Amino acid sequence: MSTDSRAAKAARIRELLDTEGEAVATNTRGFNQGRYDSVARLEDYEGLKDEARAIKEDAIERLPELLDELTETIEENGGTVYVAEDAADANEYIADVCADAEADRVVKSKSMTSEEIEVNDHLHSRDVDVVETDLGEWVLQLADEAPSHIVAPAIHKSRQGIAELFEERFDPDEPLETAEELTMFAREKLGERIEGADVGMTGANFLTADTGTMALVTSEGNARKSVTVPDTHVAVAGVEKIVPSVEDLRPFVELIGRSGTGQDITSYVSLFTPPIDSPTVDFDDPDTPITDGEIDREFHLVLIDNGRLAMREDPDLKETLYCIRCSACSNTCANFQSVGGHAFGGETYSGGIATGWEAGIEGLDTAAEFNDLCTGCSRCVEACPVKIDIPWINTVVRNRINEGGNGGRFDFLVNGLSPDAEDDASPTLQKRVFGNFETLAKLGSATAPLSNWMAHSRPVGWLLERTLGVDHRREFPAFRRQTLVKWARDRDGTAPTDPERRVVLYPDVYTNYMLVERGKAAVRALEALGVAVEVPSVPGSGRPPLSQGMIDTARAKAEGVAEALDPYLEDGDDIVVIEPSDLAMFTGDYERLLPAEDYEPLAANSYELIEYVYGLLENGASPETLSVADSSETVAYHSHCQQRTMSLEAHTVAVLTECGYDVTTSDVECCGMAGSFGYKSQYYDLSMDVGENLAGQLREADADHVLASGTSCTDQIGDLLASEPRHPIELLDPAR
Amino acid sequence: MTTRSDTYDRFADKAAAYDVELTRTEVESLPETISDMLETPAVGAPLPWDGCSLPESVTTDPTPAQLNAAVSGVTAASLAVADYGSLVLEATPGGAEPASLFVDEHVAVLREQDIVPDMAAAFKWFGDRFRETRGSAIIATGPSATADMGALVKGAHGPKTVHVVVIP
């Protein structure tokens, strides 16, 4: 990406932050909080998610068979099934159905799949009037805008903006102000459109092969009217929407509303088995009872392939097909909360999972437009009701984009920095530098303090921004000449004489070369708790290259880590990790990077530092050996996104509390820095906007100590509060 | 006198969260009870149970014009799901679907024995029923609603209020 295109991207993001950011943030954060509240009311949330996941895995596995069964069932019911290869094929078929029905008007209920094929434009070109009847979609149709959210399409528009739009388009007799007035106005206008409709078009959230039933998850009642009134019903759905039986709908019905908008269930879950056994309502014949005569309905199910069957054959994109389009991954994403789907989205889909959809349906170029907005923070993983590893899909697609990448003008600058460039690949220069951060850190440490003076000098800052897109408003972290490994090797032994346990403290790149104090504190605290600590030289975890989509480089790092730690694991040592994103590598991502015999022992024996302290205290160690609170010391603590996904925030809170500190925690999903993301000039404003949400909470807590577990969080909070937070272990350090 | 079961209470609690009120009555007094709570003009679909009838003020087999003019609609609920406060409204050739949809106030008549505890029980019922009838039904929870205009509004396209009359 060139300096100019980075600047253009930054400008576009800034514009969206200004114009749509506030409405998007309020609504998505509301949905996200609603999700937490609603799933907490379920007795067995995890069990339901497992059930939903298993149904989808099975259904996608057996898709060809289920497709045949569904076709047979629907034909038996009196409907027609058409499997469309692509958008053009689907649109031709739908236009023919409309022509056969001599339709002048189609009323539609909200359907992302119909957005995907752009059927409205096609029907308009055939002189068929298409009216969106979902209120949000109708607003966008009037405004000629694209959805910014897959469930709440007009989430970026304020009430006032909608009032102005109606004013301009309809010039109503009475001015419209309140949400109630706007809704009733829309209801009346759309009611008239539905009365005169010839065809009703819907999507389908799920289709059951055993009965030909389609589930539609809605709230307004417009889908019911669109199906009930006209005599012709066209449903448009991706082929991946089929599940085997009616009973399989149950976990999805219980999860979809909760996961998306935080409602236990939406107002209407329609279970239509078309053609439906209900009289049509012919408003052209207003005085004949609707129940007179035979019910004569037509039903066409248009199943869209458009790349899906190929995705099914692609081991990494396949999981995308499990997606039930609930929007949890959008609402829980800190970047999405700030900027919405007009930035974080492709041609049709938006949010974390959109990378999978757009890569499969439109291609890598479309996915490349927004794929970088996923920072891999992993908060969407636990939010997803079908447990899709969304960050992995984003990483794989990023890797593929890299492989089709460019050779840049400034390649010479990083030749020495990135000796292990991907095979046949050329990620952008910016990605390669951040991906090879370990090399940079080693160099910076070896030449500190000169390297720090250089990095902080204006000419170098300028060069970094021009060539690598490192934002000049960010300070590069200071490298330390004495690494943690060197310190541990050179110091006088204070190891316990008869240790209960032996651990390897993993010297992650940040702790080893930069945040050395937290490493020293960790060694002292563990030793005080009766543990023998070793700090051997171990390679970086591979998190930075993985974040840049450089999977081969990450795999090489993973192999190096496994090799270095193997003798210790053989000896029965535990591995203690300070940096949460590195622990997430060991216990999660390495499963995809290493053979099982290397991954499993490492994952089983690795612990987050304070989680380990928690375990020691639980097993009888005394908190008095640590630095406990004086009277009523208060702490404002920001955990780390991946730490929270691993359910390890509670351990830090518990240990600090046990040591007498009064702890307040942040509830933001991510600090906004997310590794290198916040350093990139094109994303600086977005990163700071996300961070401001956290900074507000930390300021409000007004605590004696501000603590953070991750390096990125430490850098970000340092920039936001102009004072760097410490790691919890530094507060507990016996030497404090 | 029927004893109020736990399931009934749970259904009543959950429904109340959506401002859906329950009124209990005996089969004999059903027409009068409905009549008292109705706003006219009213439409409806015949109730499927022996001995249960609608008041005369309810027009069954409505014309489109009558449907449009109706304020209230009375239909049967086949099932209720206690955990969610939801009603199951089946589409019928007699027009239950439009009668419950085109009105401001929907009055659903429910037999207490048809309240099931949870979605697992409801979907067992749907599976058996749909495989046999290939029918359609709506799981309706509270009135129709939208937040698309900047705040939660009831009565987006469908009813603004829902009332349930429970018979033994």
Side-chain angles (χ1 to χ4, degrees):
Chain A
M1 188 181 274
S2 70
T3 311
D4 286 350
S5 60
R6 279 196 295 263
K9 183 156 235 171
R12 170 75 180 142
I13 287 174
R14 205 172 305 121
E15 184 198 334
L16 287 172
L17 286 171
D18 290 344
T19 52
E20 303 183 349
E22 197 181 325
V24 170
T26 307
N27 289 319
T28 48
R29 287 176 193 157
F31 289 162
N32 194 41
Q33 188 54 49
R35 172 176 61 84
Y36 283 116
D37 297 343
S38 179
V39 301
R41 288 192 285 269
L42 279 171
E43 244 168 66
D44 186 17
Y45 175 45
E46 291 302 319
L48 264 187
K49 288 202 287 187
D50 287 338
E51 217 179 304
R53 165 97 191 179
I55 291 166
K56 277 290 181 185
E57 279 182 5
D58 169 59
I60 296 301
E61 193 58 41
R62 293 199 287 129
L63 186 56
E65 176 196 324
L66 292 176
L67 195 56
D68 287 345
E69 188 188 339
L70 177 69
T71 304
E72 209 171 291
T73 311
I74 286 183
E75 284 170 0
E76 214 174 85
N77 294 348
T80 309
V81 177
Y82 185 75
V83 181
E85 216 171 287
D86 55 24
D89 187 12
N91 287 334
E92 271 308 302
Y93 180 82
I94 296 166
D96 287 349
V97 169
C98 290
D100 288 348
E102 295 177 6
D104 297 320
R105 182 185 299 148
V106 174
V107 282
K108 260 184 79 193
S109 73
K110 181 180 148 28
S111 147
M112 289 307 293
T113 311
S114 73
E115 299 269 351
E116 175 188 323
I117 61 172
E118 296 177 342
V119 67
N120 295 15
D121 291 347
H122 187 77
L123 291 178
H124 282 146
S125 75
R126 300 290 185 89
D127 296 322
V128 179
D129 182 25
V130 185
V131 181
E132 295 285 353
T133 61
D134 172 87
L135 299 189
E137 283 287 351
W138 188 55
V139 164
L140 296 187
Q141 191 177 29
L142 292 174
D144 195 21
E145 288 178 22
S148 59
H149 186 273
I150 60 171
V151 168
I155 198 170
H156 60 286
K157 295 199 88 73
S158 66
R159 181 175 52 79
Q160 199 192 342
I162 297 169
E164 282 163 15
L165 178 70
F166 284 6
E167 197 70 36
E168 185 194 309
R169 290 299 149 98
F170 299 105
D171 192 18
D173 300 336
E174 300 277 316
L176 303 167
E177 276 176 31
T178 65
E180 172 95 28
E181 287 165 356
L182 292 165
T183 302
M184 290 310 139
F185 179 81
R187 174 187 170 134
E188 195 193 315
K189 289 278 174 210
L190 288 171
E192 291 163 10
R193 306 289 198 281
I194 293 169
E195 282 182 17
D198 306 296
V199 173
M201 193 188 298
T202 67
N205 292 83
F206 305 94
L207 292 154
T208 65
D210 62 343
T211 61
T213 302
M214 53 185 275
L216 274 177
V217 180
T218 68
S219 273
E220 294 181 356
N222 60 311
R224 293 175 67 187
K225 281 186 171 169
S226 301
V227 171
T228 304
V229 172
D231 61 7
T232 305
H233 176 192
V234 177
V236 178
V239 288
E240 82 284 3
K241 298 289 183 72
I242 310 172
V243 295
S245 72
V246 173
E247 284 85 344
D248 292 326
L249 297 173
R250 177 228 161 187
F252 300 107
V253 166
E254 295 207 60
L255 287 168
I256 194 165
R258 298 177 194 270
S259 302
T261 51
Q263 295 162 277
D264 292 357
I265 190 166
T266 60
S267 303
Y268 301 127
V269 178
S270 300
L271 304 172
F272 291 126
T273 312
I276 67 165
D277 206 9
S278 179
T280 58
V281 189
D282 183 1
F283 287 93
D284 291 337
D285 185 8
D287 299 319
T288 303
I290 58 172
T291 47
D292 272 14
E294 292 284 300
I295 297 170
D296 185 15
R297 288 179 177 275
E298 235 183 78
F299 172 62
H300 300 265
L301 174 63
V302 184
L303 289 170
I304 315 283
D305 174 0
N306 212 22
R308 288 166 172 81
L309 294 176
M311 289 165 79
R312 185 173 164 271
E313 304 294 327
D314 181 324
D316 292 309
L317 289 188
K318 182 178 173 182
E319 263 197 280
T320 308
L321 300 173
Y322 304 162
C323 169
I324 62 169
R325 315 257 177 94
C326 70
S327 80
C329 60
S330 298
N331 303 330
T332 196
C333 171
N335 279 346
F336 192 96
Q337 288 176 358
S338 273
V339 82
H342 285 160
F344 199 156
E347 292 287 325
T348 312
Y349 300 99
S350 55
I353 195 63
T355 283
W357 283 121
E358 295 285 341
I361 288 165
E362 301 287 343
L364 284 180
D365 288 352
T366 308
E369 298 275 319
F370 65 94
N371 167 262
D372 280 352
L373 286 172
C374 170
T375 65
C377 86
S378 80
R379 295 303 299 141
C380 53
V381 174
E382 68 173 41
C384 176
V386 280
K387 300 189 158 189
I388 300 174
D389 191 346
I390 295 166
W392 178 255
I393 292 172
N394 277 283
T395 303
V396 168
V397 170
R398 196 166 300 157
N399 186 63
R400 292 179 190 180
I401 292 165
N402 288 344
E403 286 180 5
N406 56 353
R409 278 197 303 143
F410 290 94
D411 274 11
F412 67 92
L413 259 179
V414 286
N415 282 345
L417 289 176
S418 54
D420 46 1
E422 304 281 274
D423 291 342
D424 306 320
S426 55
T428 63
L429 190 65
Q430 188 186 51
K431 284 192 165 137
R432 270 182 291 157
V433 168
F434 284 120
N436 288 290
F437 185 73
E438 186 178 358
T439 315
L440 199 68
K442 269 184 198 161
L443 191 69
S445 167
T447 57
L450 180 67
S451 55
N452 296 326
W453 299 337
M454 283 277 291
H456 295 158
S457 75
R458 288 183 62 185
V460 172
W462 180 86
L463 190 70
L464 286 172
E465 177 150 331
R466 287 288 300 169
T467 57
L468 305 178
V470 177
D471 198 279
H472 67 277
R473 288 160 290 189
R474 291 287 188 193
E475 258 192 30
F476 239 62
F479 298 109
R480 299 281 296 270
R481 190 70 175 251
Q482 189 189 40
T483 64
L484 178 67
V485 170
K486 212 180 328 170
W487 172 82
R489 197 176 51 214
D490 297 348
R491 80 200 172 114
D492 292 330
T494 52
T497 43
D498 184 21
E500 298 262 331
R501 287 165 182 277
R502 287 179 317 178
V503 308
V504 168
L505 181 69
Y506 173 64
D508 65 85
V509 171
Y510 312 102
T511 309
N512 197 39
Y513 298 109
M514 298 179 306
L515 301 176
V516 181
E517 291 312 317
R518 69 182 196 183
K520 295 178 187 173
V523 172
R524 289 188 289 259
L526 289 167
E527 286 181 347
L529 293 164
V531 176
V533 184
E534 187 144 357
V535 190
S537 188
V538 185
S541 71
R543 169 64 68 191
L546 193 74
S547 294
Q548 307 304 323
M550 295 156 65
I551 296 175
D552 289 345
T553 310
R555 181 173 285 114
K557 294 279 178 196
E559 285 162 358
V561 170
E563 197 186 333
L565 292 178
D566 178 62
Y568 299 98
L569 290 165
E570 288 278 323
D571 279 357
D573 290 4
D574 294 325
I575 312 296
V576 171
V577 183
I578 301 176
E579 183 61 36
S581 59
D582 285 344
L583 181 69
M585 290 290 285
F586 293 3
T587 61
D589 303 275
Y590 276 16
E591 189 175 9
R592 299 190 188 265
L593 301 176
L594 293 175
E597 68 264 26
D598 290 339
Y599 162 70
E600 280 163 9
L602 181 57
N605 295 292
S606 295
Y607 301 87
E608 191 269 332
L609 171 62
I610 308 291
E611 176 196 18
Y612 201 77
V613 170
Y614 175 87
L616 294 170
L617 296 178
E618 283 290 287
N619 284 294
S622 165
E624 293 301 322
T625 55
L626 301 173
S627 174
V628 295
D630 297 338
S631 63
S632 58
E633 273 177 273
T634 54
V635 163
Y637 173 55
H638 173 63
S639 178
H640 178 275
C641 43
Q642 279 151 341
Q643 185 182 356
R644 294 181 67 200
T645 301
M646 293 182 287
S647 302
L648 293 173
E649 179 183 19
H651 299 77
T652 300
V653 176
V655 169
L656 290 168
T657 306
E658 193 172 344
C659 291
Y661 298 94
D662 184 2
V663 187
T664 308
T665 57
S666 69
D667 67 5
V668 302
E669 297 291 359
C670 179
C671 70
M673 181 65 100
S676 61
F677 181 81
Y679 281 96
K680 294 178 178 174
S681 59
Q682 66 271 39
Y683 302 123
Y684 174 81
D685 288 319
L686 174 54
S687 166
M688 291 303 273
D689 190 76
V690 172
E692 204 36 65
N693 190 27
L694 169 60
Q697 293 190 6
L698 295 175
R699 283 189 207 106
E700 201 177 315
D702 191 27
D704 300 326
H705 308 280
V706 179
L707 304 179
S709 294
T711 304
S712 300
C713 323
T714 302
D715 291 346
Q716 174 79 322
I717 294 168
D719 281 2
L720 288 159
L721 301 183
S723 155
E724 202 144 282
R726 287 184 292 172
H727 189 279
I729 202 67
E730 293 177 78
L731 192 63
L732 301 170
D733 182 358
R736 177 170 80 94
Chain B
M1 192 69 195
T2 319
T3 323
R4 295 185 179 202
S5 64
D6 289 351
T7 310
Y8 177 90
D9 288 343
R10 202 157 80 249
F11 172 61
D13 276 358
K14 291 286 181 181
Y18 300 95
D19 295 327
V20 174
E21 276 181 51
L22 275 56
T23 303
R24 294 169 74 97
T25 189
E26 299 299 320
V27 170
E28 301 74 45
S29 38
L30 183 60
E32 202 188 331
T33 309
I34 293 172
S35 193
D36 285 349
M37 66 176 58
L38 272 190
E39 295 216 32
T40 51
V43 293
L47 301 177
W49 310 295
D50 286 346
C52 294
S53 54
L54 295 172
E56 277 178 18
S57 54
V58 174
T59 305
T60 50
D61 302 312
T63 65
Q66 287 168 325
L67 200 57
N68 240 354
V71 180
S72 300
V74 190
T75 69
S78 304
L79 222 61
V81 188
D83 273 357
Y84 286 83
S86 307
L87 296 166
V88 171
L89 311 172
E90 280 185 284
T92 66
E97 173 68 355
S100 66
L101 182 61
F102 279 83
V103 292
D104 284 344
E105 180 194 34
H106 175 220
V107 177
V109 183
L110 172 73
R111 296 190 305 178
E112 182 165 352
Q113 69 195 76
D114 293 329
I115 306 175
V116 298
D118 51 28
M119 278 299 169
F123 274 90
K124 168 92 178 54
W125 187 90
F126 284 129
D128 295 344
R129 184 94 168 165
F130 289 173
R131 278 188 288 272
E132 189 195 321
T133 65
R134 301 292 162 97
S136 300
I138 313 292
I139 306 171
T141 312
S144 78
T146 186
D148 285 349
M149 300 291 158
L152 186 70
V153 177
K154 288 174 186 166
H157 283 274
K160 296 174 183 169
T161 59
V162 176
H163 208 118
V164 184
V165 180
V166 185
I167 53 173

